[in-house]
Amino acid sequence: MTTTTAAQPGSETAVEQAEQEATEAEQLLTALEERVREGDDEITPDQLSNARELGRFAKLRADAARRKAERTTAKAAEQERAAHLDQATALAAPGGPLDADALAITYATARAAVRAFITASETYNTTTGQGARLLAAAGVPDSTFGPTPEPGTAARWGTDRFRLADGSTYYPTGTGLRLAVLLDDLNTEFHDIPTGAFHPPFVRTPISDQATRGRDGHPQLHVLAAEQAGGAK
């Protein structure tokens, strides 16, 4: 990849001025020579010599201005390159956005939070069954195939769904479905979480397929997180 660095302010102006002076000196010499050809006796050899030397000197100055501009541009390009290298290095510094260990910490935190959510969700689902069994023990009939219970009364449907007299209804929903809602919400919030170049969007690719690719990716957060936790999975 080629990077073009603009000339420093003033360098182009200096070159243009020097080139203009060289052009004017050449034009002056040409005009004097033409006057001699036309028979102008007032033009002396010294005038031609001076004009010729002036033109040569002006060309040298133009060359010097160009070289100086090139050196200035090259120096600026080198400074810009060094600055980019420093910026890239800073990105990978500890605590920066490319700190894999810091990212692994957030991975471990997210994993613990999802684990806690799964546990709470499964507890919720299991407890609905306990509630339904308690209502059954209290003599509340199973209304799965019977008449619709009257509002304001406790009711149950089978062994895992029930309603209390205050209208509160409880029934289990698959924890995987709840996770799907969570991930879909995040996917919407982040405008389609990418799975990688040339791969289908996150929500259209099986989790198992993505996990296989992710475990071979870099950095391997699951490995770093386990190492930070002393080998705990």
Side-chain angles (χ1 to χ4, degrees):
M1 179 177 178
T2 301
T3 301
T4 301
T5 302
Q8 294 298 298
S11 61
E12 292 183 355
T13 301
V15 172
E16 292 172 355
Q17 181 178 349
E19 290 179 342
Q20 179 63 30
E21 291 175 356
T23 299
E24 291 175 354
E26 185 176 357
Q27 292 173 346
L28 174 61
L29 176 61
T30 300
L32 291 176
E33 290 176 339
E34 186 61 25
R35 287 174 61 183
V36 173
R37 293 189 185 95
E38 292 295 329
D40 189 338
D41 296 334
E42 295 182 359
I43 306 302
T44 66
D46 286 343
Q47 286 179 304
L48 289 177
S49 178
N50 290 338
R52 190 172 293 110
E53 288 301 316
L54 178 62
R56 184 170 180 275
F57 182 71
K59 289 180 180 178
L60 291 175
R61 287 192 58 185
D63 288 342
R66 279 192 292 270
R67 291 183 182 183
K68 182 178 180 181
E70 289 170 357
R71 288 193 297 269
T72 300
T73 299
K75 182 178 180 180
E78 178 58 26
Q79 291 175 339
E80 183 179 24
R81 188 182 76 87
H84 289 165
L85 289 175
D86 290 343
Q87 291 169 5
T89 301
L91 292 176
L98 291 180
D99 186 341
D101 289 334
L103 186 59
I105 291 174
T106 63
Y107 172 91
T109 300
R111 192 176 190 276
V114 172
R115 184 190 298 112
F117 170 73
I118 291 174
T119 300
S121 177
E122 288 300 289
T123 298
Y124 183 99
N125 290 343
T126 301
T127 305
T128 59
Q130 294 175 355
R133 288 192 294 274
L134 288 172
L135 290 185
V140 176
D142 182 353
S143 301
T144 301
F145 303 105
T148 302
E150 292 292 330
T153 62
R156 68 183 181 88
W157 295 268
T159 59
D160 62 359
R161 180 176 302 197
F162 66 93
R163 183 189 70 204
L164 298 178
D166 63 3
S168 301
T169 302
Y170 302 88
Y171 60 91
T173 297
T175 296
L177 299 181
R178 290 174 177 147
L179 280 175
V181 172
L182 170 63
L183 295 176
D184 189 54
D185 284 347
L186 291 173
N187 187 68
T188 300
E189 180 179 345
F190 286 93
H191 306 290
D192 292 331
I193 300 173
T195 59
F198 310 111
H199 290 290
F202 172 71
V203 294
R204 299 182 185 177
T205 308
I207 293 294
S208 57
D209 291 351
Q210 296 184 56
T212 298
R213 295 203 311 271
R215 285 191 173 90
D216 293 333
H218 178 80
Q220 293 182 312
L221 299 180
H222 58 293
V223 175
L224 292 175
E227 290 175 350
Q228 292 175 355
K233 295 288 186 175

